[in-house]
Amino acid sequence: MPDFTDSLKPQYDGQAILEAERNRSPIQVHELSKHLLSRNNFLERQSKIVSILQNDPLFSKRNQLNMSRPDRFHVGLARNKKLRRLAKQYAWDLEDYKMAEYLTDEMSPYHLQHGMFATSVFQQSSDEQRAEWLPAVRDFKVLGCYAQTELGHGSNVRGVEATATYDLKAQQWVLHSPTLTASKWWNGALGRVATHAVVIAQLQIPKKEGTGYDSHGPHQFLCRIRDEKTHQPLDGIVIGDIGPKYGYASMDNGYMLFDNFRIPHSALLCRYSKVDPKTGAFQRQGHPAIVYGTLTATRGAIILNARLVLARAVTIAIRYTSIRRQFQDRDAETSSQEVAVLDYPTVQIRLLPLLATSLALHYTGEAVSDHFKKSAAKIENGDFSALAEMHALSSGLKSLCTQYAADGIETCRRSMGGHGFHGASGLVGINSDYLSKPTVEGDNWMITQQVASYLIKKMDEVVTNTAGKSKDTVVGQFQSFLTAKKPFYTLFQGSEINAKEILNAFEWRSAYLSHEAYQARIVQKKSWTSLLIQLHKLSRAYSEMVLVTNFFNAIQSSNLSIETAKVIEQCFYLYALYTIDNDPRSFSTTGAVADASMDALPDHILDIMSQIRPHAVKLVDAWAIPDYLLNSALGRYDGKVYEDLFHRAHHENPLNKTTFNPHWEDEEIVLGSGDGGKILSKL
Amino acid sequence: MPDFTDSLKPQYDGQAILEAERNRSPIQVHELSKHLLSRNNFLERQSKIVSILQNDPLFSKRNQLNMSRPDRFHVGLARNKKLRRLAKQYAWDLEDYKMAEYLTDEMSPYHLQHGMFATSVFQQSSDEQRAEWLPAVRDFKVLGCYAQTELGHGSNVRGVEATATYDLKAQQWVLHSPTLTASKWWNGALGRVATHAVVIAQLQIPKKEGTGYDSHGPHQFLCRIRDEKTHQPLDGIVIGDIGPKYGYASMDNGYMLFDNFRIPHSALLCRYSKVDPKTGAFQRQGHPAIVYGTLTATRGAIILNARLVLARAVTIAIRYTSIRRQFQDRDAETSSQEVAVLDYPTVQIRLLPLLATSLALHYTGEAVSDHFKKSAAKIENGDFSALAEMHALSSGLKSLCTQYAADGIETCRRSMGGHGFHGASGLVGINSDYLSKPTVEGDNWMITQQVASYLIKKMDEVVTNTAGKSKDTVVGQFQSFLTAKKPFYTLFQGSEINAKEILNAFEWRSAYLSHEAYQARIVQKKSWTSLLIQLHKLSRAYSEMVLVTNFFNAIQSSNLSIETAKVIEQCFYLYALYTIDNDPRSFSTTGAVADASMDALPDHILDIMSQIRPHAVKLVDAWAIPDYLLNSALGRYDGKVYEDLFHRAHHENPLNKTTFNPHWEDEEIVLGSGDGGKILSKL
């Protein structure tokens, strides 16, 4: 309905502001985009897929935040199914399909099919089992889930309660949930969709003599869980969706319990463990270490994903705070204009380090993915030497990078003031969805033990001279550490920043803290539990060193044009110095950084931020995040912030179609409807 | 439907675990509850109201997370109206009514009626206007909203674009929105419910001679905005709800634009500004400083609210992590049981300082509320001397306390692993609702300038000896600071902790940073904007000093039984030492704390945590948060975590009533319904 608001314009023109921002920086956005996003033809693929999705009404995100959780699930499933049909229609490959999932920006049941489900079936199956199952899995004829965690048991696989007991006579496994906490829980796609499940259960074989069982620990079983026709759970199984969560509205995380449910002998995925069907004899074979290879590869992907998630939040915040004006400069003439919010150092200090962090995550994500690919090839060939380092490295980085991203989204949101709280910020969905990441795939606090454990072991080897001629970089760092005294590196000469000394400082601190942990654990024999906080800090210090090192290396070898390279270098400095400034005591007491340099940090950070500021909009442009994915009035590329906010409210908000009866004496809610009391049916 | 799960029990018994936790601590929970929650008969009031609400089906929270935003609004309005009827039925006073709002735990349209709306009408109205409006406001005959912020203008009231231009001939005001950014925006209750609004607009009077206007800045106008019968916006106004947000699903935050909309001369609330109806002569009268009195009182309430919000999250997390078991102690026998999650120092270091922080917020909330009450009385009597300090104090504390609470909720959530992400954690609603708090009532970064500004001024007065005989505590601290040299306080003698020296260290650091800021601004004349980050840190240091001081004072004067008092004292140490450990460089470089004490911090913190640990469950019990409010399977008082999680999923989740068609070739979503394509209508 047309009204007088149709002709109104905002007081200041966001579009013109962003244009001016873009005109004043010499950064070559397209060049930088290609530099950042060439892996797997990301940019071309993104253009191809986004043009299909944004024109399909089923993939419109317009009303999503108004929908109930059950409706979100309906829509999510419908989209999942449509994506498969589109994949067929356009002959998408797996990367195309994953891109489409990424752009729809919701976690839905089919997501697990290519992920944990297919991976498990592939890795744990014998060649015969692979031949039997993989084609059906690939074609989504079998719809799967991965049922490991239980109501009472998370990260600790060994704690799983579900049992698979072998019945020698019937040559069947009997799956059973002895308690309520044994209920499978959280498993994606299980709740409403999966027809099959990989179930992790304790493998038990009746003792040859007497009663009781020989237990062989958790194993994977592939079994049918729902009827083909009715899609109801099979007899002896109870299944359901676990209910609403923070995000993931369109994912049916499920629960499942077994009441002596029988599955055939062949259900045990038997690449690495075999049970003789007739004798029940149990035999392990081969090295299942390849599993860790996949785990670490997954974590490489988590880092690259974290950078895009963080880049998305930063894109929105940088564009909006460039446009938004608030308050006048306190020292300025009274008649001066309000200041762009991004010009306040208090806003810069929240956003620009995150912008730099997205780049830090990028270079480490790239380096680690390459490194993992090489190591995985080695492992395939039976060389497990790289495994321990890979596992440690990936654990520490997973913990740190997902924390950066999860916290960063919220920091971006708060930097945007009131409108950051609005649904049209585009951050509601990503925020609630991403909050799972610090917990899943290894809790961020728990897994840092693995890093520390590795570093202590390495330090022990170096101290006792048993490290051999390892090419491990950590060993080299530890060796030089042990022969040196506190270096107190000087990071600045006047206004000059010394990148190499920054690197040295991060390496020294990591080595120092490793040695401290080694002393506490190996020499003083302190209990592991009492050291956990210290070990967590060590993991962080080590991972920060890795991020700084990879960032530094990337700068050395980059072939970006000079202006762009210079800004990226500033981002390196900002990431590194901001990181030091955030944990200053660990850099000073370890003797890593000279006191004068510590004192000079804040001014250098302010200075670097003022140098990056003019390029901020183009830096986020380079992440090339499509408006369709951003789904944000505040972050849209063209800067029409206020027009879009108003349009969404005035023309798209369903609540505005209803006239309410606001008077407390009346039970009626919708004016004139006489619906008094009806509302109870919703509860 | 009964099934085999009905007879299952969890592997470990949460109820028994919590009982054992409670039995091993000598804390007198009821005594401590009364100590914490006696203000305004909080405990008795809570019992009285909760027993009414939890038995009323309209106030059941069961299905809330499954509902769409429009449905949440319907329910929220229905509850609001019912609360009014209950208030009448049970003769509730205002405190009872607020308690009911608190327990329903949702922000709904009527919330503003007693708040900003009534307050404005009261404060800004002449006696005649009060007589005319206040009875109708009190009886909810007039339903109001407070329309200050605009689409393009937040905290900066002076930036408001809406104009109220006086038409001398008609003796009317003409309200007008010249641009899109002039649209009123975010104003609660405006969207769908309010019949009246207090509108803030730039008061303009035509110049006597020539063209143009004399502008007198933003003023408040009370006007009717909707038709009594149809509840439609009056001609010349466009109104609506701004759409979905992070939380606040049942609040109709609204927008409003005026197209030369006319209101009578009497609409100007004229306690402090009068316009002669015939001549248009403008006249200010009286001191509107009382407004700041209300603002600071509101902020006192914000601190007390922050403590309850934080206490709620901590209650859930402490109870759940006491029950939850995960992994075995790495140094223990292999056959040992899994460890309670709260026994890991890595979990303690996240939760126990927050537990201590909730107490720190409590004592400062209490002290500040008392202080504000006294100062407000002074102001009423025309003595404005306390105003500046009150304003500074309240700004710094608002910023710090809401940040503690907002960040604390998320820390609690993450400490609970996977289940923390579940809706049944009870944290989804509180988390998204509370995230607005760091922004509203003064952005947390913006308002810290006011603290710093005050401290710099005071330091200037002390340095130049113009402070007079002020009783201001800050002046005393600054005076001793200026005559001393860096003290490097020693906080520990062996295992003993020296509370007084802790206090001294916080005071010293606050004074030191104040002096540094004074030097930069007044002596070196640096630009205000370039100092913003430094000033933000100063505000935090000052506010932390206030929190530590009030906590310390409360301990000195408490009449709790000895065992309980001892644990509360440990909480004081934990809050103070953890705070130092979180910003160590600012305590060491300012010379506040001796290096040896800095080094000893981590071990002391570990030790204090191990002493608080056995009392953790009873400490949160003392906050007396009813299960109805917690609405959490993880945090329920009786410890039946797993039973409740499973019950909610298996018996209450509406999604489990639908059988889906999971196959991608079919467009149908609900199996057998033939609903292919229908889903598009939802989008």
Side-chain angles (χ1 to χ4, degrees), chain B residues 292-594:
Chain B
Y292 292 97
T294 313
L295 184 70
T296 46
T298 307
R299 287 187 179 160
I302 286 178
I303 303 169
L304 288 173
N305 177 51
R307 93 193 194 285
L308 280 181
V309 164
L310 184 57
R312 189 177 347 159
V314 172
T315 298
I316 293 169
I318 292 283
R319 286 182 185 155
Y320 174 65
T321 57
S322 301
I323 293 169
R324 178 76 173 185
R325 265 81 184 125
Q326 187 146 286
F327 287 106
Q328 292 161 335
D329 186 335
R330 195 150 158 164
D331 295 326
E333 308 276 313
T334 49
S335 61
S336 73
Q337 288 202 313
E338 289 192 304
V339 177
V341 171
L342 186 55
D343 287 333
Y344 290 107
T346 33
V347 174
Q348 291 178 7
I349 197 72
R350 290 180 275 170
L351 295 181
L352 298 184
L354 288 177
L355 176 61
T357 301
S358 66
L359 292 166
L361 298 189
H362 169 74
Y363 292 116
T364 283
E366 289 280 326
V368 158
S369 296
D370 290 345
H371 180 57
F372 284 178
K373 206 177 254 176
K374 278 182 220 152
S375 308
K378 273 194 202 168
I379 292 171
E380 287 274 7
N381 295 324
D383 172 1
F384 301 115
S385 61
L387 203 63
E389 190 207 349
M390 254 175 67
H391 193 218
L393 183 65
S394 73
S395 300
L397 288 172
K398 186 270 168 184
S399 174
L400 181 58
C401 297
T402 56
Q403 194 192 328
Y404 274 147
D407 293 348
I409 296 167
E410 176 60 9
T411 301
C412 287
R413 192 194 67 68
R414 288 191 204 169
S415 77
M416 297 192 289
H419 294 337
F421 195 68
H422 195 279
S425 65
L427 292 179
V428 174
I430 191 177
N431 202 355
S432 18
D433 284 353
Y434 200 79
L435 286 186
S436 67
K437 289 285 183 287
T439 303
V440 299
E441 310 275 353
D443 177 89
N444 275 2
W445 280 74
M446 206 53 100
I447 59 177
T448 54
Q449 293 179 59
Q450 294 157 9
V451 192
S453 184
Y454 171 77
L455 294 173
I456 290 172
K457 188 159 166 277
K458 284 285 148 186
M459 185 59 84
D460 190 28
E461 289 173 11
V462 172
V463 169
T464 57
N465 248 321
T466 55
K469 288 179 195 162
S470 164
K471 279 178 194 158
D472 201 319
T473 40
V474 160
V475 169
Q477 289 171 11
F478 288 0
Q479 280 165 343
S480 15
F481 166 80
L482 284 173
T483 54
K485 48 179 189 173
K486 289 189 179 183
F488 293 108
Y489 292 109
T490 296
L491 311 185
F492 314 112
Q493 277 87 29
S495 64
E496 288 292 298
I497 311 175
N498 190 324
K500 195 72 193 61
E501 296 293 70
I502 290 178
L503 223 62
N504 288 336
F506 274 89
E507 284 182 8
W508 177 269
R509 164 177 169 252
S510 167
Y512 188 101
L513 297 176
S514 298
H515 188 255
E516 215 171 51
Y518 155 80
Q519 282 278 344
R521 178 66 180 168
I522 306 293
V523 181
Q524 299 164 30
K525 303 204 187 305
K526 291 197 182 166
S527 85
W528 186 258
T529 299
S530 73
L531 297 174
L532 285 177
I533 296 171
Q534 181 180 346
L535 302 179
H536 183 69
K537 288 181 180 168
L538 168 59
S539 168
R540 180 161 184 145
Y542 168 74
S543 304
E544 286 171 349
M545 182 269 289
V546 170
L547 282 158
V548 167
T549 307
N550 286 321
F551 205 154
F552 177 80
N553 292 340
I555 289 173
Q556 306 308 307
S557 63
S558 119
N559 43 20
L560 287 167
S561 57
I562 293 175
E563 289 99 338
T564 307
K566 221 178 120 187
V567 179
I568 300 296
E569 191 186 6
Q570 295 291 337
C571 290
F572 163 72
Y573 288 132
L574 181 57
Y575 172 73
L577 299 183
Y578 181 80
T579 301
I580 297 174
D581 197 40
N582 255 318
D583 190 10
R585 199 166 158 80
S586 103
F587 284 89
S588 55
T589 57
T590 57
V593 175

Side-chain angles (χ1 to χ4, degrees), chain A residues 345-562:
Chain A
T346 32
V347 174
Q348 291 178 7
I349 196 71
R350 288 180 275 171
L351 295 181
L352 298 184
L354 288 177
L355 177 61
T357 301
S358 66
L359 292 166
L361 297 190
H362 169 74
Y363 292 116
T364 283
E366 289 280 326
V368 157
S369 296
D370 291 345
H371 180 57
F372 284 178
K373 207 178 253 174
K374 278 182 219 150
S375 308
K378 274 195 201 167
I379 291 171
E380 286 275 8
N381 296 325
D383 172 2
F384 301 113
S385 62
L387 203 62
E389 190 206 352
M390 255 175 67
H391 193 218
L393 183 65
S394 71
S395 299
L397 288 172
K398 185 271 168 183
S399 174
L400 181 59
C401 298
T402 57
Q403 194 192 327
Y404 274 145
D407 293 348
I409 297 167
E410 176 61 9
T411 301
C412 288
R413 191 192 69 68
R414 287 191 205 170
S415 76
M416 297 192 290
H419 294 337
F421 195 67
H422 195 280
S425 65
L427 292 179
V428 173
I430 191 179
N431 201 354
S432 15
D433 284 354
Y434 199 79
L435 285 187
S436 66
K437 290 287 185 286
T439 303
V440 298
E441 309 274 353
D443 176 87
N444 275 2
W445 280 75
M446 205 57 97
I447 59 176
T448 53
Q449 294 178 59
Q450 293 157 9
V451 192
S453 184
Y454 171 77
L455 294 173
I456 290 173
K457 188 159 164 276
K458 285 285 148 187
M459 184 58 82
D460 191 28
E461 288 174 11
V462 172
V463 170
T464 57
N465 248 321
T466 54
K469 288 178 194 160
S470 164
K471 279 178 196 160
D472 201 319
T473 39
V474 161
V475 169
Q477 289 171 10
F478 288 0
Q479 280 165 343
S480 15
F481 166 81
L482 284 173
T483 55
K485 50 182 186 171
K486 290 187 179 186
F488 293 108
Y489 291 108
T490 296
L491 311 185
F492 314 111
Q493 276 88 29
S495 66
E496 287 292 298
I497 310 176
N498 189 325
K500 195 72 194 59
E501 295 293 69
I502 290 178
L503 222 63
N504 288 336
F506 274 90
E507 284 181 9
W508 177 268
R509 164 177 170 253
S510 168
Y512 188 101
L513 296 176
S514 299
H515 189 254
E516 213 170 53
Y518 155 81
Q519 282 279 344
R521 178 65 181 168
I522 306 293
V523 181
Q524 298 165 31
K525 304 203 186 305
K526 289 195 184 169
S527 84
W528 187 258
T529 299
S530 73
L531 296 174
L532 285 177
I533 296 171
Q534 181 180 345
L535 301 178
H536 183 68
K537 289 180 180 169
L538 167 59
S539 168
R540 182 163 181 140
Y542 168 74
S543 304
E544 286 170 349
M545 184 268 289
V546 171
L547 282 158
V548 167
T549 306
N550 286 321
F551 204 153
F552 176 80
N553 292 341
I555 288 173
Q556 306 309 307
S557 62
S558 123
N559 43 19
L560 287 166
S561 58
I562 294 176

Side-chain angles (χ1 to χ4, degrees), chain B residues 241-278:
Chain B
D241 173 280
I242 62 170
K245 300 139 289 186
Y246 263 73
Y248 283 48
S250 51
M251 177 64 93
D252 54 333
N253 297 91
Y255 61 90
M256 172 161 63
L257 295 111
F258 305 101
D259 183 24
N260 291 305
F261 178 71
R262 289 178 169 266
I263 54 176
H265 170 268
S266 62
L268 172 65
L269 297 180
C270 61
R271 190 162 204 86
Y272 300 108
S273 294
K274 270 203 169 64
V275 170
D276 187 286
K278 289 178 191 154

Side-chain angles (χ1 to χ4, degrees), chain A residues 11 81 110 151 156 181 192 241-242 255 331 338 419 422 521 528 585 599 650 656 658 661-662 668, chain B residues 81 110 151 156 181 192 241-242 255 331 338 422 521 528 585 599 650 656 658 661-662 666 668:
Chain A
Q11 189 184 27
K81 291 164 64 151
Y110 285 8
L151 182 52
N156 184 13
T181 38
R192 302 278 80 200
D241 174 279
I242 63 169
Y255 61 89
D331 295 326
E338 289 192 303
H419 294 337
H422 195 280
R521 178 65 181 168
W528 187 258
R585 201 169 156 79
D599 291 341
H650 196 45
N656 290 331
T658 309
N661 175 340
E668 180 187 74
Chain B
K81 291 164 64 152
Y110 284 10
L151 183 53
N156 185 11
T181 37
R192 301 278 79 200
D241 173 280
I242 62 170
Y255 61 90
D331 295 326
E338 289 192 304
H422 195 279
R521 178 66 180 168
W528 186 258
R585 199 166 158 80
D599 291 340
H650 196 45
N656 289 331
T658 309
N661 176 340
D666 308 329
E668 179 187 75

